[in-house]
Amino acid sequence: MSKPSDPNAEMMKRLQELQKEQLMISRLTKEFSTILDKKQLQLVFNKTFKAEMGFNDCMMIRNVKGNIEIFGSGTENQNYTTDQQLDRYVKKCLDSAEPLLFDLKELSPLPSCFTEAKNSGMRMVVGLGLPAVSESKNVLFLFYKSFISRDTIPERILNGISTQLSITFHNIDVQEQLKIFQGNIRDFPKEVEKEKKSGHGFHGIVGQSEAIQFIFEKISQAAPSQSNVIIF
């Protein structure tokens, strides 16, 4: 006859598990919150995230204004053409309030990126739709070589870090846009000088007089500033 379980011991064990999960969420959230570029993200995916979650590979599918981007733990960011099969799995994950589990051996037909994962020895996939930030829709896929069941999915941990992951990708997008903006500012004086020499005006403003050239010069001086200015 089996010994009856101790309710207090079961409760204590459960509380310890919840505490462990919360500590893992805090560690991962802290790691992701400091990331400002994709190389840093790749390092965290390959080290901390993989060690904590126990997956073999991961992939982020991003739909940014209709452009599909795939970012993996072992690959640079890639642009993909529309894949109806991939769209189907992405939509399923975005429409689900909880992580979804897929068996690559039972799925057919497979998106091309899933086929590559299967050919490299992957068996199971966990898909998590992330909260939408700005105009970006993101889905995280975790790949496992061994079979895993629905009960073993770290659902609370994935849901706990999902918002921070979306924010992290938004921060990366902002940093990339900022670099482009800074590059444009650095090139602005050269463009001004080029337009002056061409005699075709200045950014659409036509004029060759000494007074208008003085205004062009003032615009060039004020351009690097993000403040509102009035030139008169």
Side-chain angles (χ1 to χ4, degrees), residues 49-63:
F49 194 35
K50 183 178 286 188
E52 295 278 16
M53 303 299 292
F55 58 83
N56 297 107
D57 198 3
C58 68
M59 182 183 296
M60 182 73 75
I61 310 293
R62 309 191 67 215
N63 186 330

Side-chain angles (χ1 to χ4, degrees), residues 9-25 27 151 154 156-157:
E10 289 292 328
M11 178 64 72
M12 183 61 67
K13 181 181 178 182
R14 184 66 185 136
L15 288 173
Q16 289 173 345
E17 290 174 352
L18 289 173
Q19 184 181 36
K20 184 179 179 181
E21 288 179 349
Q22 191 57 51
L23 287 172
M24 188 182 294
I25 291 170
R27 285 196 300 269
D151 294 336
R156 280 185 296 274
I157 297 171

Side-chain angles (χ1 to χ4, degrees), residues 29 56 76 159:
T29 299
N56 297 107
E76 294 293 336
N159 287 331

Side-chain angles (χ1 to χ4, degrees), residues 196 201-202 207-218:
K196 283 182 179 179
F202 176 83
Q208 295 293 326
S209 68
E210 184 176 341
I212 198 67
Q213 294 302 317
F214 177 76
I215 291 176
F216 292 164
E217 190 66 33
K218 288 296 182 182

